[in-house]
Amino acid sequence: MANQLSGSELYTWQLLAAEDAPVKASDGIAFTPDRAISHEQQLDVIIIVGGVDITRSFGSKEVSWLQSQAKRNVLLGAVCTGAYVLASAGLLDGYTCSAHWECLAAMQERFPRVNCTNRLYTLDRDRMTCTGGSVPMDMMLSMITRQHGKALTSSICDMFIWDRVRMDCEPQHTPLRHMLNTAQPKLAEITELMEANIEEPIELEELASFVGISRRQLERLFLKHLDCTPSRYYLKLRLDRARQLLKQTTCSIIEIASMCGFVSAPHFSRCYRKYIGISPKEERTAMWSLKQFDEPETPPAPLEAPTYSHAALCLAQAEPTYGAVKLMPAAPLQTETTELAATG
């Protein structure tokens, strides 16, 4: 669109892959690359697009190539989990980067030399990273503004019905905090404090005093709006973080217990089994035993061709948020008008 509106070829683009052969995205859709990374070429910008199961989606070939491109002072970027690849190559050491909230904890633990932030996107010298979703649009528009000015960016926004370019300093919203920010600012502030203090949990009295309410008021807020006690909510946060670390890192169970504020590994295991339904060891074993799925081993139904969606679901089983949203069973269809009125 920048080319179309400016009437000149400001940008060219191509799709690269490790090999000169079709590659599949994590949803199963195949893309044919323009050329392999081994093909000698002079590039200005390289953007890594990351998806599901990023830790097993690249190898030494891609890492070596990226390191060689960094030596040529190429601007390196990443979308969503693509930042994990740059960090694995040591190309984010000493840089600030943005990562999707789901993998932020794993990034922070796995790469201590990288300054991982909760910002929507980050442009730090010759690196640019973003959190995923719709944010790549903001990041690229910001880059175009820097290179060609606001007038062109505004015209692109008009063409794409894009209301505004979000600033890089804006934080990404985690699901709960996004819902609570306006309706219950005190509760949102407390949950934010909890999220920021997983390794060394804060006492409830301290949390209450930080936001200027009593402990009793704190407990009432949680019971009214989240239908649980503050202690239970805090425990759930810590166990959710532990589940992410179990699935996304190679840290030992003892290390993860400490990272998530548990006094001992046995205590952590008991809490994990009670909340998740399996032990941390079983979670870790199940995770690493999952295979890469190119195609479903069996079709979903007789005489029915394997679907992309089925293969994508199989692959997604290794992700920490797989099955995290519990759908309520559909209510039976009511046919009596009086019965509908009685049940509201």
Side-chain angles (χ1 to χ4, degrees):
M1 187 55 67
N3 291 354
Q4 179 179 322
L5 294 173
S6 66
S8 58
E9 195 176 37
L10 300 178
Y11 299 97
T12 61
W13 51 88
Q14 54 187 304
L15 182 65
L16 306 180
E19 306 294 339
D20 189 12
V23 292
K24 287 186 178 181
S26 52
D27 62 357
I29 297 177
F31 293 86
T32 302
D34 297 296
R35 52 178 54 90
I37 56 177
S38 57
H39 181 83
E40 278 297 321
Q41 55 200 313
Q42 183 59 47
L43 303 169
D44 300 307
V45 183
I46 296 169
I47 299 175
I48 302 167
V49 182
V52 174
D53 199 23
I54 189 63
T55 59
R56 293 184 286 180
S57 299
F58 67 98
S60 58
K61 187 172 184 178
E62 291 94 333
V63 167
S64 299
W65 180 74
L66 286 168
Q67 290 169 338
S68 69
Q69 294 300 312
K71 292 176 182 177
R72 299 180 181 181
N73 298 319
V74 175
L75 173 60
L76 299 177
V79 169
C80 198
T81 58
Y84 191 95
V85 183
L86 285 179
S88 296
L91 300 176
L92 287 179
D93 289 357
Y95 286 87
T96 298
C97 89
S98 294
H100 190 278
W101 58 265
E102 184 190 356
C103 64
L104 190 59
M107 285 280 293
Q108 290 170 329
E109 295 294 343
R110 176 71 175 80
F111 308 108
R113 295 183 180 180
V114 181
N115 179 26
C116 299
T117 75
N118 198 45
R119 296 176 180 176
L120 288 176
Y121 60 98
T122 301
L123 287 82
D124 184 0
R125 293 161 285 169
D126 52 354
R127 302 287 185 271
M128 61 179 187
T129 51
C130 71
T131 54
S134 62
V135 180
M137 181 75 162
D138 298 293
M139 182 175 75
M140 298 309 293
L141 286 170
S142 180
M143 185 190 78
I144 292 172
T145 301
R146 292 187 178 194
Q147 295 177 346
H148 300 289
K150 290 184 178 179
L152 178 57
T153 301
S154 297
S155 298
I156 295 172
C157 288
D158 291 339
M159 293 297 289
F160 285 129
I161 327 294
W162 199 258
D163 291 340
R164 69 182 182 94
V165 180
R166 290 174 287 184
M167 301 294 292
D168 58 348
C169 59
E170 294 183 42
Q172 60 180 319
H173 291 292
T174 55
L176 178 64
R177 196 186 309 159
H178 179 58
M179 293 186 289
L180 295 176
N181 267 338
T182 54
Q184 295 296 328
K186 293 284 187 183
L187 191 54
E189 191 176 350
I190 293 166
T191 57
E192 187 173 351
L193 281 169
M194 288 178 171
E195 290 171 11
N197 293 273
I198 297 292
E199 188 167 351
E200 296 182 7
I202 305 175
E203 295 292 335
L204 296 185
E205 287 82 359
E206 290 184 73
L207 283 170
S209 65
F210 282 147
V211 298
I213 60 175
S214 67
R215 174 166 175 166
R216 182 170 293 181
Q217 289 174 311
L218 172 70
E219 291 173 341
R220 281 202 296 261
L221 276 174
F222 273 84
L223 288 170
K224 181 178 180 181
H225 299 286
L226 298 179
D227 197 29
C228 69
T229 64
S231 298
R232 184 171 180 79
Y233 179 83
Y234 210 166
L235 176 62
K236 180 183 181 299
L237 275 182
R238 291 158 56 206
L239 289 170
D240 285 343
R241 174 70 59 83
R243 191 180 186 208
Q244 287 183 328
L245 295 174
L246 281 167
K247 289 195 168 191
Q248 297 177 354
T249 74
T250 56
C251 296
S252 69
I253 291 175
I254 294 176
E255 288 173 323
I256 292 173
S258 176
M259 292 172 187
C260 298
F262 292 92
V263 294
S264 67
H267 178 229
F268 167 55
S269 295
R270 286 194 300 272
C271 293
Y272 198 91
R273 180 181 287 278
K274 184 176 180 180
Y275 173 71
I276 303 294
I278 58 175
S279 70
K281 184 178 180 180
E282 290 169 334
E283 184 84 88
R284 172 66 58 82
T285 303
M287 159 64 193
W288 293 110
S289 64
L290 285 171
K291 298 184 298 181
Q292 291 272 25
F293 286 89
D294 290 327
E295 294 290 345
E297 292 185 2
T298 56
L303 304 178
E304 186 177 335
T307 61
Y308 286 141
S309 58
H310 180 70
L313 277 174
C314 293
L315 183 62
Q317 287 179 345
E319 292 295 294
T321 53
Y322 179 78
V325 178
K326 304 298 183 184
L327 299 178
M328 295 294 290
L333 181 64
Q334 305 286 354
T335 56
E336 296 286 334
T337 305
T338 53
E339 190 173 353
L340 285 171
T343 58

